[in-house]
Amino acid sequence: MSKEIRKSSNVVWTESHVAESQRRDHLAQKPLTLWFTGLSGAGKTTLGFQLEKALLETGKLAFVLDGDNVRHGLNRDLGFSSIDRSENIRRVAEVAKLMNQAGLIVIVSLISPFAEDRSMARHIIGSEYFREVYISTPLEVCEIRDPKGLYSRARAGEITGFTGVSSPYEAPSCPDVSLDTSTMSVESCISKLIRVIG
Ligand SMILES: Nc1ncnc2c1ncn2[C@@H]1O[C@H](COP(=O)(O)OP(=O)(O)O)[C@@H](O)[C@H]1O
Ligand SMILES: [Mg+2]
């Protein structure tokens, strides 16, 4: 049974007295969400936190919403079924949107294997703020890296529905940026991302 997302009819939106332009001026940056998608082991977390640090060092305020980290708290009640993956993405997208409204540059590092869920994220966050970053490292390389030992467990049948092994990964058809970490160093990936942010 699919989860229904309900909103009470008794809630009323109140507009902030602070304009988005005031926050932009205050932080001297344009808010943006860089949505990293790719297989487990592709390099999303590594690049996300390196980019956050690089941005802070140039005076920009950024924050990483990492898949594994949000599953420790906000999304600890969710598993890896397609319904739960979708709800995981919806919640992260809503948090990214709030952080963008607060003026931050948000880096989301989530496998987000389904195109439909990524398109929901774009819709929630708004195209103006959303950039899709495909970490396109091939499966063979991710599997050799296996930084968390998950591929070998998935191959042994100990993990079901593992993306790339027993669950599909739908590659983005038109990403804003593509980074293959099997051929690009961390430094060159970060330089390319910083150019996208501007
Ligand atoms: N150019 C690179 N960019 C990012 N990670 C790399 C690169 N080269 C090697 N790696 C390694 O690949 C692994 C990627 O793991 P991780 O960042 O946790 O991936 P993900 O979050 O996509 O599952 C790390 O062990 C990292 O050190
Ligand atoms: Mg990760």
Side-chain angles (χ1 to χ4, degrees):
M1 196 181 76
S2 74
K3 268 189 196 162
E4 264 184 67
I5 308 297
R6 293 187 202 86
K7 179 168 78 63
S8 164
S9 52
N10 301 324
V11 292
V12 177
W13 181 267
T14 302
E15 208 57 54
S16 169
H17 303 306
V18 179
E20 192 187 313
S21 59
Q22 283 177 281
R23 294 185 214 275
R24 282 189 196 207
D25 292 347
H26 190 74
L27 292 169
Q29 66 183 33
K30 180 185 179 301
L32 207 57
T33 294
L34 297 172
W35 193 282
F36 290 13
T37 172
L39 295 168
S40 179
K44 303 178 299 297
T45 297
T46 304
L47 294 176
F49 284 105
Q50 287 293 337
L51 178 63
E52 178 189 54
K53 182 167 177 281
L55 288 168
L56 264 283
E57 283 166 1
T58 61
K60 293 196 190 300
L61 198 51
F63 193 84
V64 177
L65 293 173
D66 182 72
D68 275 19
N69 287 5
V70 292
R71 282 178 181 275
H72 278 76
L74 178 69
N75 291 351
R76 67 189 307 159
D77 57 324
L78 300 176
F80 290 88
S81 67
S82 51
I83 290 170
D84 278 9
R85 283 180 194 265
S86 191
E87 175 61 6
N88 184 41
I89 286 166
R90 188 190 71 80
R91 290 185 200 171
V92 170
E94 292 285 1
V95 173
K97 179 183 177 176
L98 290 171
M99 288 185 161
N100 281 166
Q101 286 171 346
L104 300 190
I105 295 166
V106 181
I107 301 154
V108 174
S109 43
L110 276 186
I111 297 174
S112 35
F114 302 117
E116 192 182 342
D117 291 337
R118 296 193 300 267
S119 135
M120 166 180 67
R122 181 190 293 272
H123 183 73
I124 289 169
I125 291 163
S127 291
E128 189 195 335
Y129 299 100
F130 184 92
R131 300 288 180 276
E132 189 172 54
V133 179
Y134 177 30
I135 313 296
S136 64
T137 317
L139 177 64
E140 305 73 56
V141 175
C142 296
E143 197 156 355
I144 290 166
R145 286 180 182 167
D146 206 5
K148 294 184 276 188
L150 297 177
Y151 283 98
S152 57
R153 289 184 56 211
R155 292 287 178 201
E158 291 169 21
I159 305 174
T160 53
F162 192 76
T163 301
V165 175
S166 44
S167 183
Y169 177 78
E170 298 170 3
S173 51
C174 201
D176 295 283
V177 192
S178 241
L179 302 168
D180 178 349
T181 69
S182 67
T183 58
M184 288 174 74
S185 67
V186 172
E187 294 70 29
S188 52
C189 291
I190 299 301
S191 306
K192 197 165 167 185
L193 289 165
I194 284 180
R195 281 200 297 277
V196 171
I197 294 165

